Amino acid sequence: MKAGILDHANLVQASEFIAGMNSLRQCHIGYLGTSQNDILHSLEEMNSDAESAAFIVWKDGAIAGFLGVDADLNKGTAELWGPFVQEFEFMRLLWEKALHYFEGNLHSYFLFADTANHTAAEFALSNGFKPQSAQTYMELEGNPSSELRDISLLPPHSHSEFIHLHDTLFPHTYY
């Protein structure tokens, strides 16, 4: 077993591992989807973001653990993508790698785990995380109602105003 930082050469293999794990409720993390292509795209963005990093554990030549840290160093915060692990002890190793890598530059970590993800909950509680809320995730498949009105995207010149409004009304939440 060895642990290290995710690099460009391992993105496809990591996306396969995460897609398999994140499709299971007992492993699901809400910051990532379940489609390998979507996850690969997210990992490529994280890999090109100098503030963020991802850590992997290898066992017998295959990825056996993953923890992504989507960091905002200006705010000192990060969203955790995972931990996704095949063995519980890998969580401690990944978490220690992440803490050492960011060397005190982060003061708040957020974890958005499915209520059935007891492994993530145990990891969070054992590391001092405090529950903030319970969420309901809904998905609409098929054809939406014809009664829905057309919706337009927020124009780019309004993004900063929306962010300010959101952060004022819903501090420390995901948008």
Side-chain angles (χ1 to χ4, degrees), residues 80-98:
L80 298 183
W81 296 2
F84 298 103
V85 294
Q86 291 179 340
E87 297 179 27
F88 191 79
E89 72 239 21
F90 296 161
M91 278 193 273
R92 181 187 54 76
L93 178 60
L94 290 166
W95 183 235
E96 288 174 359
K97 287 268 186 207

Side-chain angles (χ1 to χ4, degrees), residues 14-152:
S15 68
E16 290 173 358
F17 175 76
I18 295 165
M21 298 288 282
N22 212 34
S23 64
L24 306 170
R25 282 195 70 219
Q26 68 268 22
C27 299
H28 188 259
I29 298 293
Y31 294 128
L32 292 168
T34 56
S35 156
Q36 182 185 346
N37 286 336
D38 291 344
I39 293 169
L40 178 59
H41 179 72
S42 295
L43 290 179
E44 288 170 338
E45 287 180 354
M46 177 181 271
N47 197 52
S48 65
D49 178 2
E51 293 190 354
S52 301
F55 307 90
I56 52 177
V57 172
W58 294 90
K59 182 176 181 184
D60 300 326
I63 295 176
F66 173 90
L67 177 63
V69 182
D70 187 12
D72 182 334
L73 296 179
N74 288 331
K75 292 182 180 178
T77 63
E79 294 175 352
L80 298 183
W81 296 2
F84 298 103
V85 294
Q86 291 179 340
E87 297 179 27
F88 191 79
E89 72 239 21
F90 296 161
M91 278 193 273
R92 181 187 54 76
L93 178 60
L94 290 166
W95 183 235
E96 288 174 359
K97 287 268 186 207
L99 292 176
H100 178 72
Y101 181 87
F102 287 99
E103 299 182 42
N105 290 315
L106 300 172
H107 59 77
S108 294
Y109 298 88
F110 303 102
L111 180 61
F112 189 32
D114 193 296
T115 55
N117 190 340
H118 302 295
T119 303
E122 186 176 333
F123 159 79
L125 291 174
S126 69
N127 285 290
F129 286 63
K130 295 181 180 81
Q132 296 295 307
S133 66
Q135 306 296 319
T136 300
Y137 172 78
M138 296 180 230
E139 180 176 337
L140 173 64
E141 291 186 11
N143 296 323
S145 169
S146 61
E147 296 178 19
L148 294 176
R149 296 187 175 110
D150 288 334
I151 298 172
S152 59

